[in-house]
Amino acid sequence: MGKFGLSLHKTIEFTYIYIIEMKKYILDLVVTQNIRLHANYVLIKMTHANVLPEMVPGQFAEIRIDGSQSTYLRRPISINYVDKEANEVWFLVQLVGEGTRKLATVNVGDIVNVVLPLGNGYTLPQNASTMKPLLVGGGVGTAPMLMLGKTLTQMGFNPTFLLGARSANDLLQLEEFQKLGDVYVTTEDGSMGEKGYVTMHSVLNSPKFDMIYTCGPKPMMMAVAKYAKANDIECEVSLENTMACGVGACLCCVENTDEGHLCVCKDGPVFNIKKLLWQI
């Protein structure tokens, strides 16, 4: 354990580094942009007068919803990206209920109360320059893949992205992903890329990846985990269990693992599939 809370973990021939017990902040952030990407998705960018806290790919925030008569709990939203030059944090928000629909109405200059950074992020390879990472995202689960992809490119890796959605209209931030690496797409209706689910894409026919990171609907992640296990590829998933508090107090998000029942919000949301008791 280093003085900055860095912990090393040895997996096969790769060494991964991840940050634990990062300090959490309750901040009043200022909305700088609210971009409607789709009828059901908005991208909200926020800043602060001071430098934003350090955040790592895979972490999330708990966002307070003001002005809603029926939304009492904060909403957990993945950290989509951190623009350090602009001192902005991005949130990709899917409109699924009154809380997120209310959040989607914020205007530039509005104040939004946010708790961050929460949870543990994806582990990052440090000493294997030839490693080939595959980042798989489905639906709004593509959100953490953007920051992860940017981080990997800055470290000298060449990530490949495999993104899935119902239709071409549901594919989000494609131009941003294309700046970072090769992008492969599947859509359920065949309107873009290959028709079907991500695990049906032809890029997986000849396994050439050393590490898989994924986030999205649980059935998709379970299918990706099954593929990874069958091909002896290390794999991490970001779980989306219901998270009310974000700090492990309410026990709403418990997941059964090889270490017993763990809180996804505090001990995750990212887990190596070897820890999960999924039937894969």
Side-chain angles (χ1 to χ4, degrees):
M1 180 75 68
K3 66 177 180 178
F4 295 105
L6 300 181
S7 178
L8 296 177
H9 172 61
K10 188 75 174 178
T11 306
I12 310 180
E13 68 271 30
F14 307 126
T15 300
Y16 294 92
I17 192 166
Y18 54 93
I19 300 177
I20 60 174
E21 297 299 332
M22 294 178 68
K23 186 176 180 180
K24 303 169 181 62
Y25 297 82
I26 303 175
L27 300 174
D28 284 331
L29 301 183
V30 180
V31 177
T32 56
Q33 290 189 70
N34 183 348
I35 305 168
R36 177 74 65 159
L37 300 180
H38 177 281
N40 296 319
Y41 298 94
V42 296
L43 175 63
I44 303 175
K45 301 181 181 183
M46 305 183 196
T47 190
H48 193 267
N50 299 321
V51 176
L52 289 168
E54 190 69 25
M55 293 168 258
V56 297
Q59 290 185 304
F60 68 100
E62 287 276 358
I63 300 180
R64 192 177 72 197
I65 309 297
D66 295 326
S68 172
Q69 298 300 313
S70 62
T71 307
Y72 305 105
L73 299 174
R74 292 174 181 265
R75 290 296 182 262
I77 305 292
S78 294
I79 295 169
N80 177 222
Y81 186 68
V82 176
D83 184 338
K84 292 189 176 181
E85 290 186 5
N87 197 40
E88 288 180 335
V89 57
W90 299 6
F91 297 103
L92 185 61
V93 182
Q94 182 180 16
L95 284 60
V96 294
E98 183 174 340
T100 49
R101 293 185 186 281
K102 183 63 179 178
L103 178 60
T105 67
V106 295
N107 297 308
V108 173
D110 285 351
I111 304 297
V112 179
N113 188 266
V114 178
V115 183
L116 57 71
L118 297 172
N120 297 304
Y122 293 99
T123 53
L124 301 174
Q126 291 292 297
N127 63 348
S129 60
T130 60
M131 193 201 79
K132 297 179 179 179
L134 174 65
L135 283 59
V136 185
V140 76
T142 59
M145 298 294 107
L146 184 62
M147 185 177 175
L148 176 59
K150 179 66 173 180
T151 301
L152 289 170
T153 59
Q154 291 174 333
M155 296 173 66
F157 298 95
N158 297 305
T160 297
F161 300 93
L162 178 54
L163 310 177
R166 292 182 178 179
S167 69
N169 290 333
D170 297 299
L171 288 164
L172 308 169
Q173 300 180 295
L174 274 182
E175 291 183 359
E176 296 291 339
F177 284 108
Q178 289 166 347
K179 296 174 184 177
L180 303 174
D182 295 327
V183 178
Y184 297 89
V185 167
T186 65
T187 51
E188 293 179 26
D189 64 0
S191 54
M192 182 177 287
E194 296 186 14
K195 184 176 182 178
Y197 303 116
V198 289
T199 48
M200 299 166 60
H201 198 286
S202 59
V203 74
L204 300 179
N205 290 343
S206 300
K208 57 182 179 180
F209 303 104
D210 305 301
M211 180 69 189
I212 298 177
Y213 303 98
T214 186
C215 182
K218 186 173 181 179
M220 183 209 81
M221 291 194 294
M222 292 182 72
V224 172
K226 183 176 181 179
Y227 167 85
K229 183 178 180 180
N231 290 279
D232 195 27
I233 302 173
E234 288 292 310
C235 180
E236 289 188 341
V237 301
S238 179
L239 301 187
E240 297 183 330
N241 297 28
T242 300
M243 292 181 277
C245 71
V247 294
C250 69
L251 305 181
C252 288
C253 62
V254 167
E255 179 77 21
N256 196 12
T257 74
D258 63 356
E259 296 181 5
H261 291 85
L262 298 179
C263 290
V264 169
C265 67
K266 182 173 68 71
D267 302 302
V270 176
F271 291 92
N272 189 295
I273 60 172
K274 294 176 181 177
K275 294 182 65 68
L276 301 174
L277 301 184
W278 289 352
Q279 297 300 310
I280 59 173

